[in-house]
Amino acid sequence: VRTGGTQFDGVIGHHYLTGQDPVRAIAYLQRAAQHQRSMYDMEAAVATLEACLLTLVDIPDGELPSVRREELALEFLSQLVRLRVLTGDLQQAIENATKADNWQEAKTATARRNRAVVSMWRGWAMMRLGRYAEAQAAFAPVTELLEGAEDAELTLQAATGTASTMDKLGEAREATRLIAAAITVYETSPRRGADGDVHLSAAYRVL
């Protein structure tokens, strides 16, 4: 099964939408969004992810289990919120993140991780808008959601955000303790992603 996206996947996905085959459409639209992100076409990727969310609604219950539907919805929302923050569309990122609050039934590791990603990027959106207390509240549940997932990279990113908000709120000493502990855990983790050095550098800048 091909997993990498190409420039043709969006066209194929919309072809299946026209033919009222949302199951096939969503598979191609997912790959299209992946390709668009790899080509740094963020506007197109955002539009495709929004199409994925709309398509998800059209898939009959008998063709997509409710848990998997929720996992996919959270996955699309997590990617969408991240792209909105990276492109500076902060208010829309927060609005997209709020939609994830409607998907709270699935307890799978995949669903929990995607909720964590949404919450973390909601925090960064709030942070950039200067809404520090709200940002801190958004970062707060990330560690719990990732419990047992051994996702050291995402945990470090969330700790960096939390420490940054604490510093802005006048809790500099506690922020330093928090980020120092997070860095220690991350540096001893055997599972470090390709962007690990970038996230580690960001964490050190908070110290």
Side-chain angles (χ1 to χ4, degrees):
V1 178
R2 180 169 59 83
T3 55
T6 75
Q7 68 269 33
F8 303 112
D9 284 323
V11 175
I12 298 171
H14 285 288
H15 166 76
Y16 280 120
L17 278 181
T18 303
Q20 297 185 336
D21 189 344
V23 175
R24 288 188 177 181
I26 208 164
Y28 280 98
L29 290 173
Q30 276 184 281
R31 290 195 289 264
Q34 178 184 350
H35 175 71
Q36 289 156 352
R37 288 197 307 273
S38 72
M39 299 301 293
Y40 300 99
D41 190 349
M42 302 307 185
E43 184 177 343
V46 164
T48 301
L49 288 167
E50 289 176 334
C52 285
L53 285 166
L54 290 173
T55 303
L56 202 57
V57 177
D58 294 331
I59 300 178
D61 292 340
E63 296 183 35
L64 186 66
S66 60
V67 170
R68 183 56 183 155
R69 188 187 303 274
E70 183 163 338
E71 287 178 342
L72 286 171
L74 290 167
E75 179 182 338
F76 299 146
L77 285 168
S78 69
Q79 294 175 20
L80 194 53
V81 173
R82 176 178 177 270
L83 288 179
R84 295 284 196 195
V85 174
L86 291 177
T87 56
D89 194 356
L90 303 178
Q91 189 56 49
Q92 190 60 55
I94 294 169
E95 291 178 18
N96 288 145
T98 301
K99 293 180 180 179
D101 297 338
N102 298 323
W103 300 94
Q104 296 293 329
E105 295 298 320
K107 308 301 181 186
T108 63
T110 298
R112 289 172 64 85
R113 187 187 188 283
N114 285 327
R115 285 192 200 100
V117 174
V118 169
S119 193
M120 186 188 74
W121 284 103
R122 187 198 321 233
W124 283 115
M126 296 289 192
M127 180 81 175
R128 294 183 183 183
L129 288 169
R131 294 159 61 176
Y132 302 125
E134 291 172 274
Q136 191 173 50
F139 287 123
V142 174
T143 300
E144 182 181 350
L145 286 167
L146 292 173
E147 188 175 356
E150 297 184 2
D151 196 325
E153 196 165 296
L154 192 54
T155 301
L156 180 64
Q157 291 179 70
T160 301
T162 302
S164 298
T165 59
M166 293 172 73
D167 185 60
K168 293 291 187 181
L169 293 169
E171 304 169 33
R173 185 172 298 178
E174 185 59 33
T176 299
R177 283 198 292 266
L178 173 68
I179 198 62
I183 288 171
T184 298
V185 171
Y186 182 76
E187 289 182 330
T188 58
S189 172
R191 302 182 65 179
R192 296 170 59 169
D195 295 328
D197 289 343
V198 174
H199 301 309
L200 191 58
S201 175
Y204 270 113
R205 286 198 298 273
V206 178
L207 280 175

